[in-house]
Coordinates of all heavy atoms in Angstrom, one line a residue:
M1 N 230.1 90.5 220.2 CA 230.2 89.3 221.1 C 230.7 88.0 220.3 O 230.2 87.8 219.1 CB 228.7 88.9 221.7 CG 228.3 90.0 222.5 SD 229.4 90.3 224.0 CE 229.2 88.9 224.9
P2 N 231.5 87.3 220.9 CA 232.0 86.0 220.2 C 230.8 85.0 219.9 O 229.9 84.9 220.8 CB 233.1 85.4 221.0 CG 233.2 86.4 222.2 CD 232.1 87.5 222.2
L3 N 230.9 84.4 218.8 CA 229.8 83.3 218.5 C 230.3 82.0 219.0 O 229.5 81.1 219.2 CB 229.6 83.3 217.1 CG 229.0 84.7 216.5 CD1 228.8 84.6 215.0 CD2 227.7 85.1 217.2
H4 N 231.6 81.9 219.0 CA 232.3 80.5 219.4 C 233.6 80.8 220.1 O 234.3 81.7 219.7 CB 232.3 79.6 218.1 CG 232.9 78.3 218.5 ND1 232.2 77.2 218.9 CD2 234.2 77.8 218.4 CE1 232.9 76.2 219.1 NE2 234.1 76.5 218.8
F5 N 234.1 80.0 221.1 CA 235.3 80.0 221.6 C 235.9 78.7 221.9 O 235.0 77.8 222.1 CB 235.6 81.1 222.6 CG 234.8 80.8 223.9 CD1 235.3 80.0 224.9 CD2 233.5 81.2 223.9 CE1 234.6 79.7 226.0 CE2 232.8 80.9 225.1 CZ 233.3 80.0 226.2
E6 N 237.1 78.5 221.9 CA 237.8 77.2 222.3 C 238.8 77.5 223.5 O 239.5 78.5 223.4 CB 238.7 76.6 221.1 CG 237.9 76.3 219.9 CD 237.2 74.9 219.9 OE1 237.7 74.1 220.7 OE2 236.3 74.8 219.1
L7 N 238.9 76.7 224.4 CA 239.7 76.9 225.6 C 240.9 75.9 225.4 O 240.8 74.8 224.9 CB 239.1 76.6 226.9 CG 238.0 77.6 227.4 CD1 237.2 77.2 228.7 CD2 238.5 79.0 227.5
S8 N 242.0 76.4 225.5 CA 243.3 75.7 225.5 C 244.2 75.9 226.5 O 244.1 77.0 227.3 CB 244.0 76.0 224.1 OG 244.4 77.2 224.1
P9 N 245.3 75.1 226.8 CA 246.2 75.4 228.0 C 246.9 76.6 227.6 O 247.1 77.1 226.6 CB 247.1 74.2 227.9 CG 246.3 73.2 227.1 CD 245.5 73.9 226.2
G10 N 247.2 77.4 228.7 CA 247.9 78.7 228.6 C 249.2 78.6 227.9 O 249.7 79.6 227.2
Q11 N 250.0 77.4 227.9 CA 251.1 77.3 227.3 C 251.1 76.9 225.8 O 252.0 76.9 225.1 CB 252.1 76.3 228.0 CG 251.7 74.9 227.9 CD 250.6 74.5 229.0 OE1 250.0 75.3 229.6 NE2 250.4 73.3 229.1
Q12 N 249.9 76.7 225.3 CA 249.7 76.4 224.0 C 249.6 77.5 223.1 O 249.0 78.5 223.3 CB 248.4 75.5 223.8 CG 248.1 74.9 222.3 CD 246.9 74.0 222.4 OE1 246.5 73.4 223.3 NE2 246.4 73.9 221.2
H13 N 250.4 77.5 221.9 CA 250.4 78.7 221.0 C 249.0 78.8 220.3 O 248.1 78.0 220.2 CB 251.4 78.5 219.9 CG 251.7 79.7 219.2 ND1 250.9 80.2 218.3 CD2 252.8 80.6 219.2 CE1 251.4 81.3 217.7 NE2 252.5 81.6 218.5
D14 N 248.6 80.1 220.2 CA 247.3 80.6 219.7 C 246.8 79.9 218.4 O 245.8 79.4 218.3 CB 247.2 82.1 219.6 CG 247.2 82.7 221.0 OD1 247.0 82.1 222.0 OD2 247.5 84.0 221.0
V15 N 247.9 79.9 217.6 CA 247.5 79.4 216.2 C 247.1 78.0 216.1 O 246.5 77.6 215.1 CB 248.7 79.7 215.2 CG1 249.8 78.8 215.3 CG2 248.2 80.0 213.7
T16 N 247.4 77.2 217.1 CA 247.1 75.7 217.0 C 245.6 75.5 217.2 O 245.0 74.5 216.7 CB 247.7 75.0 218.2 OG1 247.3 75.5 219.4 CG2 249.2 75.1 218.1
M17 N 244.9 76.6 217.6 CA 243.4 76.4 217.7 C 242.7 77.2 216.6 O 241.5 77.2 216.4 CB 242.9 77.1 219.0 CG 243.5 76.3 220.2 SD 243.1 74.6 220.4 CE 241.3 74.6 220.6
A18 N 243.5 77.9 215.7 CA 242.9 78.9 214.7 C 242.0 78.0 213.7 O 240.8 78.5 213.5 CB 244.0 79.5 213.8
E19 N 242.3 76.9 213.2 CA 241.6 76.2 212.1 C 240.4 75.6 212.8 O 239.2 75.8 212.2 CB 242.4 75.2 211.4 CG 243.3 75.9 210.5 CD 243.9 75.0 209.6 OE1 243.3 74.1 208.9 OE2 245.1 75.0 209.3
A20 N 240.4 75.1 214.1 CA 239.1 74.9 214.8 C 238.1 76.0 214.9 O 236.9 75.8 214.8 CB 239.5 74.1 216.1
L21 N 238.6 77.2 215.3 CA 237.9 78.3 215.4 C 237.2 78.7 214.0 O 236.0 79.1 213.9 CB 238.5 79.5 216.0 CG 238.9 79.4 217.5 CD1 239.9 80.5 217.8 CD2 237.5 79.5 218.2
L22 N 238.0 78.6 212.9 CA 237.6 78.9 211.7 C 236.5 78.1 211.1 O 235.5 78.6 210.3 CB 238.8 78.8 210.7 CG 238.6 79.5 209.2 CD1 238.3 80.9 209.4 CD2 239.9 79.3 208.6
E23 N 236.2 76.9 211.6 CA 235.2 76.0 211.2 C 233.9 76.7 211.5 O 232.9 76.4 210.8 CB 235.3 74.6 211.8 CG 236.6 73.8 211.3 CD 236.5 72.5 212.3 OE1 235.6 72.1 212.9 OE2 237.6 72.0 212.1
H24 N 233.9 77.5 212.6 CA 232.5 78.1 213.1 C 232.4 79.4 212.5 O 231.4 80.2 212.8 CB 232.5 78.2 214.5 CG 232.6 76.8 215.2 ND1 231.7 75.9 215.3 CD2 233.8 76.1 215.6 CE1 232.0 74.8 215.9 NE2 233.3 74.9 216.0
A25 N 233.4 80.0 211.7 CA 233.3 81.4 211.3 C 232.6 81.5 210.0 O 232.4 80.7 209.3 CB 234.8 81.8 211.1
S26 N 232.0 82.8 209.9 CA 231.5 83.2 208.7 C 231.6 84.7 208.5 O 231.9 85.3 209.5 CB 229.9 82.8 208.7 OG 229.2 83.5 209.7
G27 N 231.5 85.2 207.3 CA 231.6 86.6 207.2 C 232.5 86.9 206.0 O 232.9 86.0 205.3
A28 N 232.8 88.2 205.9 CA 233.6 88.6 204.8 C 235.1 88.6 205.0 O 235.9 88.4 204.1 CB 233.2 90.0 204.3
A29 N 235.4 88.7 206.4 CA 236.8 88.8 206.7 C 237.1 88.0 208.0 O 236.2 87.8 208.8 CB 237.3 90.3 206.9
C30 N 238.3 87.6 208.2 CA 238.7 87.0 209.5 C 239.9 88.0 210.0 O 240.8 88.1 209.4 CB 239.3 85.6 209.2 SG 239.9 84.8 210.7
I31 N 239.6 88.5 211.2 CA 240.5 89.4 211.7 C 241.3 88.8 212.9 O 240.7 88.2 213.8 CB 239.8 90.7 212.3 CG1 238.8 91.3 211.2 CG2 240.7 91.7 212.8 CD1 238.0 92.4 211.7
A32 N 242.6 88.9 212.8 CA 243.4 88.4 213.8 C 244.7 89.0 214.0 O 245.2 89.7 213.1 CB 243.8 86.8 213.6
D33 N 245.5 88.9 215.1 CA 246.7 89.5 215.4 C 247.8 88.7 214.8 O 247.6 87.5 214.3 CB 246.9 89.9 216.8 CG 247.0 88.8 217.8 OD1 247.3 87.5 217.3 OD2 247.0 88.9 219.0
S34 N 249.0 89.3 214.8 CA 250.2 88.6 214.3 C 250.5 87.1 214.8 O 251.2 86.5 214.1 CB 251.5 89.5 214.5 OG 251.8 89.5 215.8
A35 N 250.0 86.7 215.9 CA 250.2 85.4 216.4 C 249.6 84.4 215.5 O 250.0 83.3 215.4 CB 249.6 85.3 217.8
Y36 N 248.6 84.9 214.7 CA 247.9 83.9 213.7 C 248.4 84.0 212.3 O 247.8 83.5 211.4 CB 246.4 84.2 213.8 CG 245.8 83.8 215.1 CD1 245.6 84.8 216.1 CD2 245.2 82.6 215.3 CE1 245.1 84.6 217.3 CE2 244.6 82.3 216.5 CZ 244.5 83.2 217.5 OH 244.0 82.9 218.6
D37 N 249.5 84.7 212.2 CA 250.1 85.0 210.7 C 250.9 83.7 210.3 O 252.0 83.7 210.4 CB 250.9 86.2 210.7 CG 251.2 86.5 209.3 OD1 250.6 85.9 208.3 OD2 252.3 87.3 209.2
S38 N 250.1 82.6 209.9 CA 250.8 81.5 209.3 C 250.3 81.3 207.9 O 249.0 81.6 207.7 CB 250.7 80.2 210.2 OG 249.4 79.7 210.0
Q39 N 251.1 80.9 207.0 CA 250.5 80.8 205.7 C 249.4 79.7 205.6 O 248.4 79.9 204.9 CB 251.6 80.4 204.6 CG 251.2 80.5 203.2 CD 250.8 81.9 202.8 OE1 251.4 82.9 203.2 NE2 249.6 82.0 202.2
A40 N 249.5 78.7 206.4 CA 248.4 77.6 206.3 C 247.1 78.2 206.8 O 246.1 77.9 206.3 CB 248.8 76.4 207.3
F41 N 247.1 79.0 207.9 CA 245.9 79.7 208.3 C 245.3 80.7 207.3 O 244.2 80.7 207.0 CB 246.2 80.3 209.7 CG 244.8 80.9 210.3 CD1 243.8 80.0 210.5 CD2 244.8 82.1 210.7 CE1 242.6 80.6 211.1 CE2 243.6 82.6 211.4 CZ 242.5 81.8 211.5
V42 N 246.3 81.4 206.7 CA 245.8 82.4 205.7 C 245.2 81.7 204.5 O 244.1 82.0 204.0 CB 247.0 83.3 205.2 CG1 246.7 84.0 203.9 CG2 247.5 84.2 206.3
D43 N 245.8 80.5 204.0 CA 245.2 79.7 203.1 C 243.8 79.2 203.5 O 242.9 79.1 202.7 CB 246.1 78.6 202.7 CG 247.3 79.0 202.1 OD1 247.4 80.2 201.6 OD2 248.3 78.2 201.9
A44 N 243.6 78.7 204.7 CA 242.3 78.2 205.2 C 241.3 79.2 205.2 O 240.1 79.0 204.9 CB 242.6 77.6 206.7
I45 N 241.7 80.6 205.5 CA 240.7 81.7 205.5 C 240.2 82.0 204.2 O 239.1 81.9 203.8 CB 241.3 82.8 206.1 CG1 241.6 82.7 207.7 CG2 240.4 84.1 205.8 CD1 242.5 83.8 208.2
E46 N 241.2 81.9 203.2 CA 240.8 82.2 201.8 C 240.0 81.1 201.2 O 239.1 81.4 200.4 CB 242.2 82.5 201.0 CG 242.8 83.7 201.4 CD 244.2 84.0 200.7 OE1 244.8 83.0 200.3 OE2 244.6 85.2 200.7
A47 N 240.3 79.9 201.6 CA 239.4 78.7 201.1 C 238.0 78.8 201.5 O 237.1 78.2 200.8 CB 240.1 77.4 201.7
K48 N 237.7 79.5 202.7 CA 236.4 79.8 203.1 C 235.7 80.9 202.3 O 234.6 81.3 202.7 CB 236.4 80.1 204.6 CG 236.3 78.7 205.4 CD 235.9 78.9 206.9 CE 234.5 78.9 206.9 NZ 233.8 78.5 208.0
G49 N 236.5 81.6 201.6 CA 236.0 82.8 200.8 C 236.0 84.1 201.6 O 235.4 85.0 201.4
M50 N 236.9 84.0 202.7 CA 237.0 85.3 203.5 C 238.3 85.8 203.3 O 239.3 85.2 202.7 CB 237.0 84.7 204.9 CG 235.6 84.1 205.4 SD 235.7 83.2 207.1 CE 235.6 84.7 208.0
V51 N 238.3 87.1 203.5 CA 239.6 87.9 203.4 C 240.4 87.9 204.8 O 239.9 88.3 205.8 CB 239.3 89.4 203.1 CG1 240.6 90.2 203.0 CG2 238.5 89.4 201.7
P52 N 241.7 87.5 204.8 CA 242.4 87.5 205.9 C 242.9 89.0 206.3 O 243.4 89.5 205.5 CB 243.7 86.6 205.6 CG 243.9 86.6 204.2 CD 242.5 86.9 203.6
V53 N 242.5 89.4 207.5 CA 242.9 90.7 208.0 C 243.8 90.4 209.2 O 243.3 90.4 210.4 CB 241.8 91.7 208.3 CG1 242.3 93.0 208.8 CG2 240.9 91.8 207.0
I54 N 245.1 90.1 209.0 CA 246.0 89.7 210.0 C 247.2 90.5 210.0 O 247.9 90.6 208.9 CB 246.4 88.2 209.7 CG1 245.1 87.3 209.7 CG2 247.3 87.8 210.9 CD1 245.4 85.9 209.4
E55 N 247.6 91.0 211.2 CA 248.8 91.7 211.3 C 250.0 91.0 210.9 O 250.0 89.7 211.2 CB 249.0 92.3 212.8 CG 250.3 93.1 212.9 CD 250.2 94.5 212.3 OE1 249.1 95.1 212.1 OE2 251.3 94.9 211.9
N56 N 250.9 91.4 210.1 CA 252.1 90.8 209.6 C 252.9 90.4 210.8 O 253.3 91.2 211.6 CB 252.8 91.5 208.6 CG 252.1 91.6 207.3 OD1 251.8 90.7 206.7 ND2 251.8 92.8 206.9
H57 N 253.4 89.1 210.8 CA 254.4 88.6 211.8 C 255.7 89.3 211.3 O 255.9 89.5 210.1 CB 254.4 87.1 211.8 CG 255.3 86.6 212.9 ND1 256.7 86.6 212.8 CD2 255.0 86.3 214.2 CE1 257.2 86.0 214.0 NE2 256.2 85.9 214.7
P58 N 256.5 89.7 212.3 CA 257.7 90.4 211.8 C 258.7 89.6 210.9 O 259.4 90.2 210.1 CB 258.5 90.7 213.1 CG 257.5 90.7 214.2 CD 256.5 89.7 213.6
N59 N 258.5 88.3 210.9 CA 259.3 87.4 209.9 C 258.8 87.3 208.6 O 259.4 86.7 207.8 CB 259.6 85.9 210.5 CG 260.4 86.1 211.9 OD1 261.0 87.1 212.1 ND2 260.1 85.1 212.7
R60 N 257.5 87.8 208.3 CA 257.0 87.5 207.1 C 257.6 88.3 206.0 O 257.7 89.5 206.1 CB 255.4 87.9 207.2 CG 254.8 87.6 205.8 CD 253.3 87.8 205.7 NE 252.5 86.6 206.3 CZ 252.4 85.6 205.6 NH1 252.7 85.4 204.4 NH2 251.6 84.7 206.1
K61 N 258.1 87.7 205.0 CA 258.7 88.4 203.8 C 258.1 87.8 202.6 O 257.9 86.6 202.4 CB 260.1 88.1 203.9 CG 260.9 88.4 205.1 CD 261.0 90.0 205.2 CE 261.9 90.2 206.5 NZ 261.3 91.2 207.3
P62 N 257.5 88.6 201.7 CA 257.2 90.0 201.9 C 255.9 90.2 202.7 O 255.1 89.3 202.7 CB 257.1 90.5 200.5 CG 256.6 89.4 199.7 CD 257.2 88.2 200.3
P63 N 255.7 91.4 203.4 CA 254.6 91.5 204.2 C 253.4 91.6 203.3 O 253.4 92.0 202.2 CB 254.9 92.8 205.0 CG 256.1 93.4 204.3 CD 256.9 92.4 203.5
R64 N 252.2 91.1 203.8 CA 250.9 91.3 203.1 C 250.5 92.7 203.5 O 250.7 93.1 204.5 CB 249.9 90.2 203.7 CG 250.1 88.9 203.1 CD 249.1 88.0 203.5 NE 248.3 88.3 204.8 CZ 248.9 88.0 206.0 NH1 250.0 87.4 206.1 NH2 248.1 88.4 207.1
E65 N 249.6 93.3 202.6 CA 248.8 94.5 202.9 C 247.7 94.1 203.8 O 246.9 93.2 203.7 CB 248.3 95.0 201.5 CG 247.9 96.5 201.7 CD 247.8 97.1 200.3 OE1 248.6 96.9 199.5 OE2 246.7 97.9 200.2
V66 N 247.5 95.0 204.8 CA 246.4 94.9 205.9 C 245.5 95.9 205.8 O 246.0 97.2 205.8 CB 247.2 94.7 207.2 CG1 246.0 94.6 208.3 CG2 248.1 93.4 207.2
D67 N 244.2 95.8 205.7 CA 243.3 96.8 205.7 C 243.2 97.3 207.2 O 242.6 96.8 208.2 CB 241.9 96.3 205.4 CG 240.8 97.3 205.4 OD1 240.9 98.4 206.0 OD2 239.6 97.1 204.9
R68 N 243.8 98.5 207.4 CA 243.8 99.0 208.8 C 242.5 99.3 209.4 O 242.4 99.3 210.6 CB 244.8 100.3 208.8 CG 246.2 100.0 208.5 CD 246.8 99.3 209.7 NE 248.0 98.6 209.3 CZ 248.6 97.7 210.0 NH1 248.0 97.3 211.1 NH2 249.7 97.1 209.6
D69 N 241.6 99.8 208.6 CA 240.2 100.2 209.1 C 239.5 98.9 209.7 O 239.0 99.0 210.8 CB 239.3 100.9 208.1 CG 239.9 102.2 207.8 OD1 240.5 102.8 208.6 OD2 239.7 102.7 206.6
T70 N 239.7 97.8 208.9 CA 239.0 96.6 209.4 C 239.7 95.9 210.6 O 239.2 95.5 211.5 CB 239.0 95.6 208.2 OG1 238.3 96.2 207.1 CG2 238.2 94.2 208.5
Y71 N 241.1 96.1 210.5 CA 242.0 95.6 211.5 C 241.6 96.2 212.9 O 241.7 95.6 214.0 CB 243.4 95.6 211.2 CG 244.3 95.0 212.2 CD1 244.4 93.7 212.3 CD2 245.0 95.7 213.2 CE1 245.3 93.0 213.3 CE2 245.8 95.2 214.1 CZ 245.9 93.8 214.2 OH 246.6 93.2 215.1
S72 N 241.3 97.5 212.9 CA 240.9 98.2 214.1 C 239.8 97.7 214.9 O 239.6 97.9 216.0 CB 240.8 99.7 213.7 OG 239.6 100.0 213.1
L73 N 238.9 96.9 214.1 CA 237.8 96.3 214.8 C 238.1 95.1 215.8 O 237.4 94.8 216.7 CB 236.8 95.8 213.8 CG 236.2 96.8 212.8 CD1 235.4 96.1 211.7 CD2 235.3 97.8 213.6
R74 N 239.4 94.7 215.6 CA 239.8 93.5 216.5 C 239.8 94.0 217.9 O 239.8 93.2 218.8 CB 241.3 93.2 216.0 CG 241.7 92.0 216.7 CD 243.2 91.7 216.3 NE 244.1 92.6 216.9 CZ 244.7 92.5 218.0 NH1 244.4 91.6 218.8 NH2 245.6 93.5 218.4
Y75 N 240.0 95.4 218.1 CA 240.0 95.8 219.5 C 238.6 95.4 220.3 O 238.6 95.3 221.6 CB 240.1 97.3 219.5 CG 240.1 98.0 220.9 CD1 241.2 97.6 221.7 CD2 239.1 98.7 221.3 CE1 241.2 98.2 223.1 CE2 239.2 99.3 222.6 CZ 240.2 99.1 223.5 OH 240.4 99.6 224.7
K76 N 237.6 95.3 219.7 CA 236.3 94.7 220.3 C 236.4 93.5 221.0 O 236.0 93.2 222.0 CB 235.1 95.0 219.3 CG 234.7 96.2 218.9 CD 233.5 96.2 217.9 CE 233.2 97.6 217.6 NZ 232.0 97.6 216.8
V77 N 237.1 92.6 220.2 CA 237.4 91.3 220.7 C 238.4 91.4 221.9 O 238.0 90.7 223.0 CB 237.9 90.3 219.7 CG1 238.3 89.0 220.1 CG2 236.9 90.1 218.6
E78 N 239.3 92.2 221.9 CA 240.2 92.4 223.0 C 239.5 92.8 224.3 O 239.9 92.3 225.4 CB 241.3 93.3 222.6 CG 242.3 92.8 221.5 CD 243.1 91.6 221.9 OE1 243.5 91.4 223.2 OE2 243.4 90.8 221.1
R79 N 238.6 93.7 224.0 CA 237.9 94.2 225.2 C 237.0 93.2 225.8 O 236.9 93.1 227.0 CB 236.9 95.4 224.7 CG 237.7 96.6 224.6 CD 236.7 97.8 224.5 NE 235.5 97.6 223.9 CZ 234.9 98.3 222.8 NH1 235.4 99.4 222.4 NH2 233.7 98.0 222.3
C80 N 236.5 92.3 224.9 CA 235.6 91.2 225.5 C 236.5 90.3 226.3 O 236.1 89.9 227.4 CB 235.0 90.3 224.3 SG 234.2 88.8 224.8
F81 N 237.8 89.9 225.9 CA 238.6 89.1 226.6 C 239.1 89.8 228.0 O 239.1 89.1 229.0 CB 239.8 88.6 225.9 CG 239.5 87.4 225.0 CD1 239.3 87.6 223.6 CD2 239.3 86.2 225.4 CE1 239.2 86.6 222.7 CE2 238.9 85.1 224.7 CZ 238.8 85.4 223.3
H82 N 239.2 91.1 227.8 CA 239.7 91.8 229.1 C 238.4 91.8 230.1 O 238.7 91.5 231.3 CB 239.9 93.4 228.6 CG 240.2 94.2 229.9 ND1 241.4 94.0 230.5 CD2 239.4 95.0 230.6 CE1 241.4 94.8 231.7 NE2 240.3 95.4 231.6
S83 N 237.1 91.9 229.7 CA 236.1 91.7 230.6 C 236.0 90.3 231.2 O 235.7 90.2 232.4 CB 234.8 92.1 229.8 OG 234.8 93.4 229.4
L84 N 236.2 89.3 230.4 CA 236.2 88.0 230.9 C 237.4 87.8 232.0 O 237.1 87.2 233.1 CB 236.4 87.0 229.9 CG 235.3 86.8 228.9 CD1 235.7 85.9 227.7 CD2 234.0 86.2 229.5
K85 N 238.6 88.3 231.7 CA 239.6 88.1 232.6 C 239.3 88.9 234.0 O 239.6 88.4 235.1 CB 240.9 88.6 232.1 CG 241.5 87.8 231.0 CD 242.8 88.4 230.4 CE 243.4 87.7 229.3 NZ 244.5 88.1 228.7
C86 N 238.8 90.1 233.9 CA 238.4 90.7 235.1 C 237.3 90.1 235.8 O 237.3 90.1 237.0 CB 237.9 92.3 234.6 SG 239.3 93.2 234.1
A87 N 236.4 89.5 235.2 CA 235.3 88.7 235.8 C 235.8 87.5 236.6 O 235.4 87.2 237.7 CB 234.3 88.4 234.8
C88 N 236.8 87.0 236.0 CA 237.3 85.7 236.7 C 238.2 86.2 237.9 O 238.3 85.4 238.8 CB 238.3 85.0 235.7 SG 237.5 84.2 234.4
Q89 N 238.9 87.4 237.8 CA 239.8 87.8 239.0 C 238.9 88.4 240.1 O 239.2 88.4 241.3 CB 240.7 88.8 238.5 CG 241.8 88.1 237.5 CD 242.7 89.2 236.9 OE1 242.6 90.4 237.1 NE2 243.7 88.7 236.0
S90 N 237.7 89.0 239.7 CA 236.8 89.6 240.7 C 235.4 89.2 240.4 O 234.7 89.8 239.7 CB 237.0 91.2 240.6 OG 236.1 91.8 241.5
P91 N 234.9 88.1 240.9 CA 233.6 87.6 240.7 C 232.5 88.5 240.9 O 231.4 88.4 240.3 CB 233.5 86.3 241.5 CG 234.8 86.0 242.0 CD 235.6 87.3 242.0
N92 N 232.7 89.4 241.9 CA 231.5 90.4 242.3 C 231.6 91.5 241.4 O 230.7 92.5 241.7 CB 231.7 90.6 243.8 CG 231.5 89.5 244.7 OD1 230.7 88.6 244.3 ND2 232.2 89.5 245.7
R93 N 232.5 91.6 240.4 CA 232.5 92.8 239.6 C 231.3 93.0 238.8 O 230.9 94.1 238.5 CB 233.7 92.8 238.7 CG 234.0 94.0 237.7 CD 235.3 93.9 237.2 NE 235.6 95.2 236.4 CZ 235.4 95.3 235.1 NH1 235.3 94.2 234.3 NH2 235.4 96.6 234.6
F94 N 230.6 92.0 238.3 CA 229.5 92.2 237.4 C 228.2 91.9 238.1 O 227.8 91.1 238.7 CB 229.5 91.3 236.1 CG 230.6 91.7 235.3 CD1 232.0 91.0 235.3 CD2 230.6 92.8 234.4 CE1 232.9 91.4 234.5 CE2 231.6 93.2 233.6 CZ 232.8 92.5 233.7

């Protein structure tokens, strides 16, 4: 379950909220998809003592190594958002 979330306009890029979310994060790693693959965000994660586990953006040269086993845990977050979207579309579902 998420410990913190930020709402932003749908047209706003995901990475613009990344550092605000990172303020509330703790743990050994920060797992994110390629939309969050910016060097500034990677640096902010490392400054918190966390390991960035972020899928490489296609433009990243050279690509970083990504721990695939840890990255696969990101699916749990995706399922959470899917449930929230379904609940908003069908209020009587839960």
Side-chain angles (χ1 to χ4, degrees):
M1 296 300 293
L3 300 177
H4 182 83
F5 64 91
E6 299 272 339
L7 295 177
S8 62
Q11 70 275 15
Q12 186 173 338
H13 195 282
D14 295 342
V15 78
T16 61
M17 300 300 294
E19 291 195 39
L21 289 169
L22 190 60
E23 291 176 18
H24 304 276
S26 63
C30 178
I31 307 170
D33 67 14
S34 62
Y36 293 89
D37 186 21
S38 77
Q39 193 57 50
F41 186 50
V42 168
D43 292 344
I45 293 168
E46 291 173 341
K48 280 197 76 141
M50 301 169 80
V51 175
V53 183
I54 302 174
E55 180 67 33
N56 288 298
H57 191 275
N59 295 337
R60 180 173 280 280
K61 303 290 185 230
R64 282 185 334 281
E65 195 166 315
V66 178
D67 178 349
R68 292 287 163 201
D69 291 332
T70 304
Y71 185 75
S72 68
L73 298 173
R74 189 182 70 83
Y75 182 67
K76 291 181 179 185
V77 176
E78 293 296 329
R79 284 194 326 228
C80 174
F81 281 109
H82 177 73
S83 295
L84 290 171
K85 288 178 183 179
C86 288
C88 289
Q89 293 172 357
S90 178
N92 297 325
R93 182 168 182 254
F94 293 103

